Amino acid sequence: MIASPADKRTVLSWVMFDFANSAYTTLVVTFVYSTYFVSTIAPDPVTGTALWSRGVTLTALCVAFFSPILGALADQGGLRKQLLFASTAVTVAGTAALYWIVPGQIYPALFWFVLSNIAFEFANVFYNAYLPDIATSKNIGRISGVGWGVGYMGGLAAMVVALSGFISPAVPWFGVSIETGAHIRATCLLVAAWFAMFSIPLFVWVPKTHPPVRSGRVRIIHTAMSDVKHTLKDIRRYRQIVRLLVARMIYNDGLVTLFAFGGIYAAGTFGFSFHQIMIFGIVLNVAAGIGALVMGIFDDRLGGKTTIQVSNGVLAVAALMAAMSPDKTWFWVSVVLVGFFAGPNQSASRSLLGRLVPKDKENQFFGFFAFSGKLTAFMGPLFLGVLTQMFDSQRAGVAVVVLFFAVGGLLLARVNEAEGIAAARQKL
């Protein structure tokens, strides 16, 4: 347990970073700016969708291949906090720059989005790597769950502010123009300010960890590259971590696909309006936040692996229910189930890795964690699209998600959590 007020302040400061950064995924990536880009900045929705997807793909590739290297750099140079600050600053600056992009400026918009999105993902590598340092083996699940739950609440709060202050009112805050679309772009300034303000506690009160083991920038970089190569060469020593990351590549694809296409499926199959889609997003965020908070307790009691497996099973059932729902009522039930168990699926994956990772390689392995979340992220959307076209039915496309949770669960069954924890402790 966290014993002292100083430790509680550290955990709270760490959790607030989740509250801060969720505004970016909610407003920029998922609900507001992405829609604005496709519908207004791009010449037409088809071109906009294609270009936006390429921007997301470019982000995924950069994050997948550079995260382990930057993680090793943070480990070898004791640079975790510096790199986290730099990544956060670039995200904030890049997001704010989107406000000044007007319709027709496609490539400037993509440039600032891709830059800010890459920096955002890098920041999460260093942020997640703090978890094993601020938690104990008895409360790592709860702390991870609280962080993820508070993050969902942060995204929801930012969305409410954006809707009430800029998107919905006849006269938006600060008198920004509706005619020019400035009221939509102003949400990017909101995200930048939100992220900057609520991330301050982490940089003030979460202490630096792991002093540098090498001096000199060139030597640090060389050592970091060598360390990644050594880890890959000696990968058998970390077999439980590898099994977790491989399993996560699959079941996380299912989760990514549900979040990416949930609104599209609701509109196309059940005729949801834009207003109903926004309610859909709110319900999903609230359910996921509650699920992460509640299931974090079970994570510490039952173990991360068991928590993930339970969530995989329920998510598979929920996806099947969504594909077969005869009406909106059953679809809403599936939405709540997806939300409630999506949070603990993500949170327990993070806490389980925190239990398995050696202390001297935290940043590097959380870099591989980011790698596992991005490398195959295209598979779910690809198969969903192929099956939707093949059967001329969105239901058939959504049904494929069930396989991702089932296969991911089977792969995760091979993880021996106790052996992995013991191996991590031997390397202290």
Side-chain angles (χ1 to χ4, degrees):
M1 293 293 292
I2 302 167
S4 70
D7 290 335
K8 292 179 181 178
R9 185 178 65 183
T10 296
V11 171
L12 178 60
S13 300
W14 180 82
V15 164
M16 286 306 298
F17 193 86
D18 242 326
F19 186 87
N21 69 18
S22 294
Y24 181 85
T25 54
T26 302
L27 295 181
V28 176
V29 179
T30 306
F31 288 107
V32 179
Y33 193 79
S34 57
T35 303
Y36 178 75
F37 175 88
V38 170
S39 62
T40 305
I41 291 182
D44 59 79
V46 173
T47 301
T49 301
L51 290 173
W52 187 262
S53 68
R54 289 171 188 170
V56 173
T57 301
L58 179 59
T59 296
L61 292 174
C62 289
V63 172
F65 290 105
F66 289 106
S67 289
I69 297 173
L70 287 176
L73 183 63
D75 287 327
Q76 294 300 319
L79 299 172
R80 178 192 296 171
K81 201 167 195 179
Q82 294 93 320
L83 290 173
L84 176 58
F85 180 82
S87 300
T88 301
V90 172
T91 305
V92 169
T95 304
L98 291 172
Y99 171 75
W100 283 274
I101 304 299
V102 297
Q105 294 182 320
I106 300 172
Y107 293 104
L110 284 174
F111 171 80
W112 289 113
F113 165 66
V114 171
L115 180 66
S116 63
N117 202 17
I118 290 172
F120 171 82
E121 296 291 350
F122 285 158
N124 278 322
V125 171
F126 310 118
Y127 166 68
N128 288 334
Y130 270 107
L131 180 60
D133 288 333
I134 66 171
T136 68
S137 59
K138 295 181 179 180
N139 62 18
I140 191 170
R142 273 173 289 173
I143 291 177
S144 181
V146 168
W148 221 285
V150 169
Y152 277 113
M153 296 304 142
L156 177 62
M159 184 160 63
V160 170
V161 173
L163 285 172
S164 60
F166 295 105
I167 298 174
S168 296
V171 181
W173 289 350
F174 311 112
V176 293
S177 172
I178 293 178
E179 289 74 18
T180 62
H183 67 307
I184 303 296
R185 300 197 307 274
T187 61
C188 294
L189 294 178
L190 169 65
V191 170
W194 187 285
F195 199 167
M197 179 173 65
F198 289 112
S199 65
I200 289 174
L202 183 147
F203 296 110
V204 173
W205 286 303
V206 176
K208 293 182 179 180
T209 55
H210 305 307
V213 297
R214 294 287 188 273
S215 60
R217 295 180 182 177
V218 175
R219 180 172 291 183
I220 291 173
I221 295 173
H222 179 267
T223 304
M225 296 291 290
S226 299
D227 193 39
V228 172
K229 292 179 182 178
H230 178 75
T231 299
L232 293 173
K233 186 181 297 185
D234 201 23
I235 202 69
R236 292 174 66 89
R237 296 176 59 191
Y238 311 104
R239 60 181 179 176
Q240 303 307 329
I241 295 178
V242 173
R243 289 173 178 174
L244 167 62
L245 296 182
V246 170
R248 180 175 179 265
M249 276 197 295
I250 305 303
Y251 66 72
N252 188 67
D253 283 355
L255 201 56
V256 167
T257 305
L258 284 180
F259 274 95
F261 288 90
I264 295 172
Y265 179 67
T269 300
F270 296 99
F272 275 38
S273 65
F274 179 77
H275 178 69
Q276 289 175 316
I277 292 296
M278 297 305 291
I279 295 175
F280 172 89
I282 291 172
V283 170
L284 204 61
N285 275 271
V286 170
I290 295 173
L293 291 169
V294 172
M295 294 298 290
I297 299 173
F298 290 93
D299 186 343
D300 287 325
R301 294 180 178 177
L302 304 177
K305 175 184 172 180
T306 300
T307 304
I308 299 169
Q309 291 291 55
V310 169
S311 67
N312 280 336
V314 177
L315 287 169
V317 171
L320 186 61
M321 183 185 297
M324 299 179 65
S325 293
D327 52 44
K328 288 184 179 180
T329 300
W330 281 104
F331 178 69
W332 274 115
V333 172
S334 70
V335 169
V336 173
L337 285 174
V338 167
F340 189 88
F341 286 93
N345 186 280
Q346 296 166 310
S347 172
S349 297
R350 179 169 67 180
S351 64
L352 179 55
L353 179 62
R355 293 182 176 99
L356 303 182
V357 67
K359 284 290 184 183
D360 60 339
K361 293 181 180 290
E362 290 167 342
N363 293 284
Q364 182 182 161
F365 273 112
F366 274 101
F368 281 115
F369 188 71
F371 175 90
S372 74
K374 297 296 180 183
L375 184 64
T376 61
F378 67 91
M379 290 176 58
L382 174 64
F383 286 127
L384 183 146
V386 169
L387 288 176
T388 297
Q389 285 186 317
M390 184 182 299
F391 293 96
D392 193 26
S393 168
Q394 285 185 322
R395 293 179 183 273
V398 169
V400 75
V401 175
V402 176
L403 292 178
F404 284 90
F405 292 119
V407 174
L410 290 174
L411 292 172
L412 187 66
R414 299 178 64 241
V415 174
N416 187 322
E417 187 171 353
E419 179 183 311
I421 293 173
R425 289 174 178 172
Q426 289 175 2
K427 295 175 180 17
L428 294 179

